[in-house]
Amino acid sequence: PVNGQAFNFTINGSGFNTSNSEVYFIGPGCSTSTSCVVSGLNRTTTRLTGAAVLAAGTFTVRVRNGSSGTPSNSVTLVVN
């Protein structure tokens, strides 16, 4: 992804809730688990797709079922 430009993503896994799974980023400009939650996801029980716009830097990406759900393992995403 490029600083300030929209990008599409797909997250594959299992056990996603089709009504309330959330993808969120923690990094520059996204200091808490509620500041950069992606809205407008397409959800299945095994795949989440959406779009985001982030600043340059290194981000942690996580998924949870609902805002109070247990966070998934994380992956790192670098935005140039």
Side-chain angles (χ1 to χ4, degrees), residues 4 55 62 76:
R62 288 195 152 159
T76 300

Side-chain angles (χ1 to χ4, degrees), residues 4-79:
Q5 294 183 15
F7 66 94
N8 295 317
F9 62 85
T10 299
I11 298 175
N12 295 304
S14 61
F16 299 140
N17 185 306
T18 58
S19 64
N20 70 356
S21 290
E22 298 179 341
V23 174
Y24 64 96
F25 299 89
I26 296 179
C30 302
S31 60
T32 70
S33 64
T34 58
S35 58
C36 290
V37 176
V38 177
S39 60
L41 289 174
N42 291 311
R43 302 175 181 99
T44 71
T45 57
T46 60
R47 179 174 288 170
L48 304 174
T49 59
V53 177
L54 298 170
T58 300
F59 293 81
T60 298
V61 184
R62 288 195 152 159
V63 175
R64 62 185 170 212
N65 285 326
S67 60
S68 61
T70 302
S72 67
N73 292 332
S74 64
V75 296
T76 300
L77 174 70
V78 176
V79 177

